[in-house]
Amino acid sequence: MQLKISSITNLTDARFFSAIGAHYLGFNFDVLNENNISIAQAKEIIQWLHEPVIIGEFGKHQTKEEIEFIAKQMELNEIQIPFEHPQKNELAFDKFLVLDDIKSIIPNPLSTDFYVIKIESKEIDNPELKNFISTHKVFMETDFTKDNIQQITETLQPYGIQITCKKEEKAGFSFVDEYAELLEMIGFS
């Protein structure tokens, strides 16, 4: 199972997730998102990492031109955008399309590299969700806890999971211990 990290805003989280072998490290460049990061801050963090695969995360309101500008500055090959993004078919990147809930699953989905589906843990028995995950490369995101992460990943068997970083409360104070406990439950350490 692959691990994608979303909304990295600090070096502590970035280095931790890079060290444990996260496959994708996401930086949110949507200024309307509370977890956004500037190009300069992201570059500063990335220089401390060993060959990371960086995902630029963008909002529905961001234009193709804005996304391409940031992608060029960051040397991105992969982006994450909402499924509803009006220019998604015009963006020539490997894409992670975000579905905000299981109601967004469509019968004839678009061709894309990956999906990120945000669900509530109580929805893991949904047959439509299970079918979608079994036929697509899906990263699951939910409120993972030590009590549910193993059950969710074993029941749904997604291609991967996405964990969204929490904001640092103060410099150097991260949630790394909490992330480590959670990921140890599914074999990342």
Side-chain angles (χ1 to χ4, degrees), residues 62-69 85 87 90-93:
Q62 291 177 282
T63 65
K64 175 181 182 264
E65 294 74 24
E66 180 182 0
I67 293 170
E68 288 173 341
F69 173 80
H85 194 283
Q87 295 175 300
E90 300 168 32
L91 291 161
F93 297 92

Side-chain angles (χ1 to χ4, degrees), residues 6 9 14 18 24 28 39 47 50 54 56-57 60 79 81 96 99 132 140 145 148 169 171 177:
S6 178
T9 59
S18 182
Y24 302 98
N28 194 312
I39 293 171
Q47 75 180 351
H50 179 70
I54 303 300
E57 300 168 345
K60 180 180 175 181
I79 62 170
I81 55 175
F96 290 74
L99 300 169
F132 189 81
M140 297 296 311
T145 66
N148 72 12
E169 291 182 11
D177 292 338

Side-chain angles (χ1 to χ4, degrees), residues 10 72 90 92 94 107 114 136 166:
N10 64 76
K72 184 176 180 182
E90 300 168 32
D94 291 344
F114 303 100
H136 298 86
K166 299 175 184 174

Side-chain angles (χ1 to χ4, degrees), residues 29-153:
F29 297 104
D30 178 359
V31 295
L32 300 180
N33 186 299
E34 67 181 18
N35 292 322
N36 75 74
I37 191 166
S38 70
I39 293 171
Q41 289 172 309
K43 283 183 173 184
E44 188 175 323
I45 291 170
I46 292 166
Q47 75 180 351
W48 289 94
L49 307 177
H50 179 70
E51 298 182 13
V53 177
I54 303 300
I55 309 297
E57 300 168 345
F58 300 95
K60 180 180 175 181
H61 66 92
Q62 291 177 282
T63 65
K64 175 181 182 264
E65 294 74 24
E66 180 182 0
I67 293 170
E68 288 173 341
F69 173 80
I70 294 170
K72 184 176 180 182
Q73 296 295 308
M74 293 298 302
E75 301 177 19
L76 298 174
N77 293 316
E78 290 91 2
I79 62 170
Q80 177 173 305
I81 55 175
F83 181 78
E84 302 84 19
H85 194 283
Q87 295 175 300
K88 66 180 169 267
N89 294 327
E90 300 168 32
L91 291 161
F93 297 92
D94 291 344
K95 291 186 212 65
F96 290 74
L97 293 180
V98 179
L99 300 169
D100 285 323
D101 56 42
I102 62 172
K103 295 178 189 95
S104 302
I105 295 174
I106 51 177
N108 299 310
L110 295 174
S111 175
T112 191
D113 299 288
F114 303 100
Y115 287 94
V116 175
I117 298 181
K118 298 178 179 182
I119 66 160
E120 301 211 13
S121 57
K122 66 183 179 198
E123 298 172 314
I124 66 170
D125 293 321
N126 181 302
E128 189 177 352
L129 177 63
K130 287 180 179 180
N131 182 54
F132 189 81
I133 289 171
S134 71
T135 57
H136 298 86
K137 291 182 178 178
V138 174
F139 285 79
M140 297 296 311
E141 180 171 2
T142 190
D143 183 21
F144 291 115
T145 66
K146 290 184 291 184
D147 297 328
N148 72 12
I149 192 166
Q150 208 163 10
Q151 179 190 11
I152 291 170
T153 57

